[in-house]
Amino acid sequence: MIKLDFHPAGRHFLQIPGPSPVPDRILRAMSYPTIDHRGPEFAALGLKVLSGIQKIFKTTQPVIIYPASGTGAWEAALANTLSPGDTVLMYETGHFATLWKKMAEALGLKPEFIGLPGIEGWRRGVQADAIEARLRADTAHVIKAVCVVHNETSTGVTSNIAAVRKAIDAAGHPALLLVDTISGLASADYRHDEWGVDVTVSGSQKGLMLPPGISFNAVSKKAIAASKTAKLPRAFWAWDEIIEMNKTGYWPYTPNTNLLYGLSEALDMILDEGLENTFARHQRLAAACRIAVKAWGLEVQCADPDVFSPVLTGVMTPEGIDADAVRKTIYERFNMSLGTGLGKMKGRMFRIGHLGEANDLTLMATLAGVEMGLKLSGITIKASGVTAAMDYLSNQKIPALKIAA
Ligand SMILES: *Cc1c(COP(=O)(O)O)cnc(C)c1O
């Protein structure tokens, strides 16, 4: 039996695409005493995180923060905007898109699930033209919402949300646009207002570097208007009362005080680095990771270079090699966790997370662990991915660290 206080020497490499490693700064911030959630100090915290998180979503509209995992915020997005029996157009990019569709069914919606057939659909992003064609055919406007996953965490594919918006507009269709960027936010470029998204769903434990336990709905005026007539039952998830109380920095129930301390710290860290710098860092690490995979002679799960994820890289193992056995070897020998293959990709791939609290050297340590693990698993590699990634990273022109005087 594994003891819960099992802590081998050195730090565990948590290289799964969420939860991602929580920086010490955030862990310390979370250890502040829990305060009265109706007291004056709490309002200062509430107002700070509510306005700070808008910058991360790039929105001037309200962002609702729930004490729940991302799955809760998925439900909130659907329950606040839709009515029983509504048809929703959902796009199959991978396992998470599939889970969201299952939830829509469970809530009494009628999801229409479109996408490229078989594994192929799990190797590419959302095909906006397919959405446009389906909406054009829906002249009666039966479809009430289009739901897509921005960063599909099961495969390492980041879809073009601006293109989906354009497709909806080109079809002249009034459907709402609902987007899951649970694993994309604060790691991949995301623009809630500019892209005309009606509800963006996100979570704490990926790019925001927090432990699991809070999640978000960024909304639009159109989404709020839809919520006034939407008939799906909702109580805990209902936006209106939360948005009203949030105006003064409070919640209608006990919010997750210590995770909000953590969120406050995470916002400081991300906004100090600068969102665009954060995105560039993720792009650099992802590029280095793919270079390593290519050098090893393995295949990246995402087959379209235009939609490579900056958050994680899916690595396919050669025919006949169980990817989970490779992960097990790496875990047991090097104390590193890699993401498992989900759904259709079970056993065929593993996922390397390079998000949040990640830099060149944490990526290099990760790649070293993977390279050793591949060899220990009997996989013949073409060349050293570690060397290839080091060559790439050392040639990147990035500003030197500046120590403030
Ligand atoms: C992690 C994740 C979810 C699920 O979030 P939970 O916090 O596990 O409920 C949903 N969608 C995507 C894209 C994710 O990465």
Side-chain angles (χ1 to χ4, degrees):
M1 212 177 67
I2 293 183
K3 300 198 339 254
L4 282 176
D5 60 355
F6 168 73
H7 292 300
R11 84 161 167 87
H12 176 70
F13 272 72
L14 184 65
Q15 302 307 134
I16 59 176
S20 64
V22 181
D24 294 350
R25 251 180 90 168
I26 291 181
L27 289 173
R28 278 196 297 275
M30 287 180 48
S31 73
Y32 298 157
T34 304
I35 52 172
D36 174 7
H37 63 291
R38 308 268 181 225
E41 192 187 346
F42 187 89
L45 172 66
L47 291 172
K48 181 190 165 184
V49 295
L50 286 163
S51 74
I53 197 70
Q54 288 178 306
K55 297 193 182 111
I56 308 292
F57 281 94
K58 295 195 177 161
T59 182
T60 57
Q61 311 292 320
V63 178
I64 293 101
I65 307 177
Y66 294 107
S69 86
T71 304
W74 259 353
E75 178 163 343
L78 300 172
N80 275 285
T81 56
L82 297 163
S83 299
D86 277 355
T87 300
V88 290
L89 185 61
M90 305 183 96
Y91 195 97
E92 183 179 354
T93 42
H95 186 67
F96 287 101
T98 307
L99 289 178
W100 202 11
K101 184 209 110 191
K102 270 196 194 149
M103 171 184 274
E105 282 166 348
L107 291 174
L109 298 167
K110 287 205 193 90
E112 234 186 83
F113 208 31
I114 61 167
L116 298 169
I119 293 295
E120 201 47 33
W122 285 42
R123 302 195 67 186
R124 292 170 192 280
V126 174
Q127 308 292 303
D129 52 355
I131 290 181
E132 184 177 333
R134 181 63 193 94
L135 293 179
R136 278 189 193 279
D138 179 36
T139 48
H141 296 168
V142 169
I143 295 169
K144 299 302 176 204
V146 173
C147 301
V148 293
V149 174
H150 175 227
N151 187 73
E152 177 54 75
T153 324
S154 64
T155 60
V157 172
T158 308
S159 286
N160 184 339
I161 301 304
V164 176
R165 172 78 263 164
K166 262 199 203 140
I168 298 171
D169 293 346
H173 200 288
L176 295 163
L177 173 56
L178 274 44
V179 179
D180 166 352
T181 190
I182 293 179
S183 63
L185 193 76
S187 297
D189 185 18
Y190 193 82
R191 312 172 194 184
H192 177 83
D193 286 1
E194 188 186 320
W195 293 345
V197 181
D198 292 302
V199 188
T200 302
V201 178
S202 196
S204 56
Q205 75 272 27
K206 310 208 173 160
L208 287 174
M209 307 176 286
L210 299 166
I214 52 177
S215 54
F216 310 90
N217 275 180
V219 301
S220 71
K221 288 202 173 73
K222 189 172 158 187
I224 290 182
S227 74
K228 308 289 181 202
T229 54
K231 299 256 167 1
L232 275 181
R234 58 187 179 274
F236 178 73
W237 304 116
W239 290 337
D240 44 4
E241 205 186 335
I242 302 173
I243 291 175
E244 194 49 40
M245 295 266 318
N246 278 175
K247 287 178 183 160
T248 50
Y250 298 102
W251 271 259
Y253 45 75
T254 318
N256 211 327
T257 311
N258 288 57
L259 276 168
L260 296 180
Y261 282 138
L263 175 59
S264 167
E265 194 72 13
L267 291 169
D268 287 349
M269 291 173 72
I270 294 165
L271 297 172
D272 281 353
E273 181 180 19
L275 258 185
E276 307 312 313
N277 295 332
T278 305
F279 298 153
R281 172 167 54 83
H282 282 80
Q283 291 289 358
R284 179 176 82 244
L285 298 179
C289 187
R290 291 191 301 269
I291 283 167
V293 176
K294 196 164 171 236
W296 290 325
L298 299 179
E299 215 178 329
V300 171
Q301 161 74 5
C302 176
D304 177 359
D306 285 342
V307 290
F308 281 146
S309 173
V311 175
L312 74 141
T313 301
V315 183
M316 295 171 74
T317 45
E319 277 306 322
I321 301 269
D322 177 8
D324 285 331
V326 178
R327 287 176 51 250
K328 184 166 183 279
T329 298
I330 291 172
Y331 177 83
E332 289 178 351
R333 178 64 183 79
F334 301 113
N335 191 22
M336 176 160 76
S337 294
L338 297 171
T340 185
L342 294 166
K344 288 180 188 174
M345 294 311 295
K346 185 90 200 131
R348 297 288 320 279
M349 72 179 305
F350 58 86
R351 296 169 299 145
I352 303 175
H354 30 71
L355 66 158
E357 169 89 331
N359 64 19
D360 292 16
L361 296 187
T362 56
L363 180 74
M364 287 317 310
T366 301
L367 295 176
V370 174
E371 184 162 316
M372 290 188 283
L374 291 171
K375 288 184 187 165
L376 285 174
S377 305
I379 297 174
T380 316
I381 60 168
K382 246 172 64 187
S384 168
V386 168
T387 304
M390 283 197 296
D391 287 347
Y392 173 81
L393 287 174
S394 47
N395 285 315
Q396 293 304 297
K397 292 195 177 34
I398 58 167
L401 291 179
K402 284 215 175 55
I403 313 294

